[in-house]
Amino acid sequence: MSQTSVQNRKTVRYGSATVLIGERFDKLVNIGAARSVSLKESISTSDIESDNAGVIASLTSEHKIEVSLDNLEINFENYANMRGGIDNLSSYDGKTQITREYIVEAGTYTRDELIKVPFKNADGSAISITKVEKRQPTGNISLEEDTSYTKTDSNGITIIDENVKPSIDTIIITFTQTPAKMVRMTTGGNAATIKPRCIMIVNTNAEGKELRIYIPQASVANGLEFNFPADKAQDVMINKLTFTATTAGSQKAGEQLAWFEDEQCVASEE
């Protein structure tokens, strides 16, 4: 037999949620399809003990929220935004020529070996090498074609100069390229502090009523984690995302970690 009954059917929730992330709550971006959206609050407490009356108070020492999800839309523009400035993002139109560098580290090549720049133009043609240098702490040294290196077609060189020491000299090959239309995200080496982001989680019921969770200060807590499915699998690539929210001192006391707004539980029942 049942021990009790549902006290308020409007508090029984169904469905997943939409996750939106951005610099401010008025600049949020819907990050799209996801699985396993979850929110977990953690509270650490410290007990204040007396000598003769036991614990007289418990204080909050740490208060955090973790938001996690399996993201099904691999969107590097969104990732660069939500990761708070640790990445560089570029967009290419498939028509504009750019200048790039290909770094050949010391110890990875030999003299008289063919070194080819492993990039191509949008139309599939080879890139064009414009300059070759030897890296030096006080300033790179330009290498002369036919004296220090020979060029093979337009995208390859061979070092021939005895003054270039493959075991200690890093080579920088500058080239021009017209990349295919694409988004390019690069990461690693930025010293900037991770900028916090705002997160909003929205669950909408069949009546169009919302349960909204606002998190004013959260930072990405894990790196990219792509799970590539088997070719025959009935599934898509997944990126696991985790964010840690901490109290935002810019918000009012008592509202610094999260705001929960629930339209669903107060809707009138027929």
Side-chain angles (χ1 to χ4, degrees):
M1 59 179 276
S2 299
Q3 301 299 309
T4 187
S5 61
V6 175
Q7 304 300 295
N8 182 352
R9 293 188 183 278
K10 296 297 183 179
T11 63
V12 179
R13 315 305 169 108
Y14 300 89
S16 185
T18 300
V19 180
L20 305 100
I21 301 175
E23 295 179 40
R24 302 195 310 257
F25 284 119
D26 62 321
K27 297 177 70 174
L28 297 177
V29 174
N30 184 340
I31 65 170
R35 295 180 186 148
S36 304
V37 177
S38 69
L39 179 150
K40 181 181 179 181
E41 181 186 29
S42 62
I43 302 174
S44 299
T45 60
S46 297
D47 292 336
I48 306 300
E49 297 193 20
S50 67
D51 288 344
N52 59 0
V55 176
I56 59 174
S58 291
L59 304 178
T60 301
S61 59
E62 188 175 60
H63 198 181
K64 294 183 177 181
I65 285 178
E66 181 180 276
V67 175
S68 62
L69 64 140
D70 290 345
N71 183 223
L72 307 185
E73 297 188 31
I74 309 302
N75 186 323
F76 290 100
E77 290 178 314
N78 285 348
Y79 294 155
N81 171 48
M82 69 179 67
R83 282 154 58 92
I86 64 173
D87 310 303
N88 298 311
L89 188 73
S90 303
S91 296
Y92 302 100
D93 59 9
K95 303 174 184 178
T96 304
Q97 186 181 82
I98 63 171
T99 299
R100 296 176 60 186
E101 292 181 346
Y102 180 53
I103 311 298
V104 185
E105 297 287 351
T108 67
Y109 69 97
T110 60
R111 193 176 294 109
D112 299 323
E113 174 193 0
L114 175 61
I115 302 170
K116 301 189 74 172
V117 177
F119 304 103
K120 59 185 179 181
N121 294 315
D123 61 3
S125 62
I127 54 84
S128 296
I129 294 172
T130 59
K131 183 170 59 175
V132 180
E133 298 172 288
K134 180 170 68 171
R135 177 179 285 171
Q136 293 288 293
T138 56
N140 297 335
I141 298 174
S142 293
L143 301 181
E144 296 295 327
E145 186 176 355
D146 297 328
T147 300
S148 296
Y149 70 93
T150 57
K151 189 181 291 185
T152 304
D153 297 325
S154 63
N155 70 327
I157 66 166
T158 299
I159 298 296
I160 58 175
D161 192 344
E162 293 289 334
N163 293 319
V164 177
K165 309 297 183 184
S167 61
I168 60 174
D169 289 329
T170 292
I171 302 299
I172 302 172
I173 302 174
T174 301
F175 64 96
T176 58
Q177 178 194 24
T178 303
K181 186 175 182 179
M182 64 177 177
V183 172
R184 183 173 187 258
M185 187 180 87
T186 61
T187 193
N190 278 357
T193 301
I194 296 176
K195 299 174 184 175
R197 293 293 184 248
C198 299
I199 299 177
M200 184 165 70
I201 301 172
V202 184
N203 169 266
T204 306
N205 67 13
E207 299 173 356
K209 303 297 183 181
E210 294 182 346
L211 166 62
R212 294 182 298 273
I213 304 171
Y214 296 84
I215 299 174
Q217 180 173 281
S219 297
V220 65
N222 72 318
L224 298 175
E225 183 179 347
F226 296 149
N227 289 321
F228 292 82
D231 291 337
K232 295 182 179 180
Q234 300 291 312
D235 207 350
V236 297
M237 188 189 301
I238 295 170
N239 179 31
K240 296 182 179 294
L241 295 174
T242 304
F243 299 87
T244 299
T246 54
T247 52
S250 59
Q251 303 295 323
K252 291 174 58 177
E255 300 183 5
Q256 295 180 349
L257 185 62
W259 321 326
F260 299 85
E261 297 184 353
D262 191 1
E263 301 173 355
Q264 299 172 357
C265 71
V266 298
S268 60
E269 294 195 42
E270 297 298 332

